[in-house]
């Protein structure tokens, strides 16, 4: 099977036109039609350690969530980690593809996986949608708990499910939480939409200081960390590849690429 066939399967699930205008999802490095796939290493970020992991596993395809190349390269030297990774990947005949905001926005993508981990039901988009090749997409989803929970229990659940040491939150909501809006990664731009949609809580990976103001008892804000909110993305890649390309060996990266350390 060619590498192109694996990438095509991922892009059928999350078409590239679903990505945001600032993004650079898709093929980053490599020759997809010429190379047969020996194995796929699935990760959140591409680092030098991840490339080394692919080499050790005999994988010539890395599928990441965050694009390795976000801005155009004017040269490829050893000047920075992006250029070093590109050089090492080419040197070892490894293709790199990224499924970023197209996978965030796709039905069944990152936000839906977060909702599944939380045990939410009746999950669907709550903000403006667009459709590409018959695939619906939007930046955020909302679902409901069958049994509402108090804010303290809700925060404890997030810490347990997403393996976080702490959750950044506004003051605890004094009413039960049933409806939860979600946007993985940096999702603060959807906070107002979540309030308008009637969410009791909003879960995301990043928010700015001033965005917490004026939401007391309006909505429970819960910020769990960018890496933590998207850590299960590799599972989505694996499920797609195993379904569409069952003969391709898949590996979830064991490298923790989170650059933020809690001390």
């Amino acid at each position: 099977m060619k590498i192109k066939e694996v990438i095509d399967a991922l892009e059928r699930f999350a078409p590239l036109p679903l990505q945001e205008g600032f993004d650079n999802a898709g093929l980053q490095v490599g020759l997809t039609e010429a190379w047969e796939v020996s194995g796929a290493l699935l990760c959140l970020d591409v680092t030098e350690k991840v490339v080394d992991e692919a080499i050790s596993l005999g994988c010539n395809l890395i599928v990441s969530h965050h694009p390795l190349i976000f801005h155009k390269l004017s040269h490829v030297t050893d000047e920075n980690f992006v250029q070093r990774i590109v050089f090492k990947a080419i040197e070892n005949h490894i293709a790199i593809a990224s499924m970023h905001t197209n996978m965030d926005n796709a039905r069944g993508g990152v936000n839906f996986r977060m909702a599944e981990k939380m045990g939410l039901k009746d999950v669907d988009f709550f903000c403006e949608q667009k459709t590409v090749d018959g695939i619906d997409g939007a930046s955020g989803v909302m679902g409901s708990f069958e049994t509402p929970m108090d804010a303290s229990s809700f925060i404890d659940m997030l810490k347990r499910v997403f393996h976080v040491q702490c959750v950044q939150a506004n003051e605890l909501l004094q009413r039960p939480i049933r409806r939860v809006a979600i946007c993985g990664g940096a999702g603060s731009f959807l906070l107002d939409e979540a309030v308008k949609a009637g969410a009791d809580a909003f879960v995301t990976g990043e928010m700015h200081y001033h965005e917490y103001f004026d939401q007391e008892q309006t909505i429970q804000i819960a910020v769990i960390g960018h890496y933590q909110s998207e850590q299960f993305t590799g599972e989505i890649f694996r499920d797609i590849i195993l379904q569409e390309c069952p003969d391709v060996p898949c590996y979830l990266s064991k490298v923790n690429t989170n650059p933020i350390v809690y001390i």
Side-chain angles (χ1 to χ4, degrees):
M1 178 168 286
K2 303 294 186 183
I3 287 177
K4 183 179 187 301
E5 295 176 80
V6 179
I7 295 176
D8 285 348
L10 292 164
E11 291 183 3
R12 282 194 298 273
F13 184 93
L16 289 181
L18 284 182
Q19 70 181 307
E20 302 296 336
F22 63 81
D23 205 0
N24 189 39
L27 180 66
Q28 305 271 295
V29 177
L31 304 175
T32 62
E33 294 191 32
W35 296 351
E36 292 185 1
V37 61
S38 60
L41 180 62
L42 316 173
C43 61
L44 192 64
D45 309 281
V46 184
T47 66
E48 291 179 79
K49 288 184 177 179
V50 169
V51 176
D52 290 339
E53 185 181 22
I55 294 170
S56 69
L57 291 169
C59 295
N60 65 349
L61 172 62
I62 296 173
V63 181
S64 70
H65 183 46
H66 296 137
L68 170 65
I69 303 172
F70 218 96
H71 305 288
K72 290 184 178 180
L73 298 178
S74 57
H75 50 268
V76 178
T77 65
D78 61 352
E79 180 179 307
N80 57 47
F81 82 97
V82 172
Q83 294 180 36
R84 289 194 298 272
I85 292 168
V86 170
F87 193 92
K88 179 177 279 192
I90 293 172
E91 189 176 36
N92 289 277
H93 300 281
I94 294 173
I96 300 173
S98 301
M99 301 290 130
H100 191 210
T101 53
N102 55 317
M103 189 61 70
D104 288 331
N105 295 343
R107 184 175 296 279
V110 175
N111 296 320
F112 283 86
R113 185 59 59 109
M114 290 175 66
E116 177 186 327
K117 296 291 183 180
M118 283 187 256
L120 295 171
K121 306 297 182 184
D122 303 320
V123 180
D124 209 342
F125 301 120
F126 71 88
C127 48
E128 183 178 358
Q129 299 180 41
K130 60 180 177 181
T131 303
V132 175
D133 298 329
I135 304 296
D136 295 332
S139 300
V141 304
M142 185 157 57
S144 300
F145 292 119
E146 290 184 349
T147 303
M149 63 177 72
D150 62 76
S152 180
S153 299
F154 176 70
I155 298 296
D156 287 342
M157 177 273 294
L158 292 176
K159 292 170 70 174
R160 182 180 67 255
V161 168
F162 292 96
H163 315 295
V164 297
Q165 296 165 282
C166 63
V167 173
Q168 290 184 314
N170 56 346
E171 68 177 28
L172 294 182
L173 202 65
Q174 299 302 310
R175 68 172 189 270
I177 292 175
R178 178 185 290 273
R179 304 184 74 196
V180 180
I182 300 169
C183 182
S188 60
F189 66 96
L190 282 181
L191 178 60
D192 289 342
E193 291 293 324
V195 172
K196 291 177 184 177
D200 300 307
F202 178 63
V203 178
T204 189
E206 289 183 38
M207 278 185 57
H208 295 293
Y209 173 80
H210 293 285
E211 293 167 328
Y212 289 82
F213 282 98
D214 200 32
Q215 300 296 345
E216 297 82 0
Q217 299 308 310
T218 301
I219 192 169
Q220 181 67 67
I221 296 171
V223 179
I224 61 176
H226 196 122
Y227 175 93
Q228 289 85 347
S229 71
E230 298 176 335
Q231 64 186 286
F232 303 114
T233 307
E235 295 180 4
I236 305 172
F237 298 155
R238 179 195 60 195
D239 293 348
I240 296 168
I241 295 172
L242 291 179
Q243 175 68 33
E244 301 294 327
C245 313
D247 294 330
V248 175
C250 288
Y251 305 89
L252 295 175
S253 175
K254 295 181 180 179
V255 177
N256 182 343
T257 61
N258 188 2
I260 299 172
V261 178
Y262 295 87
I263 299 175

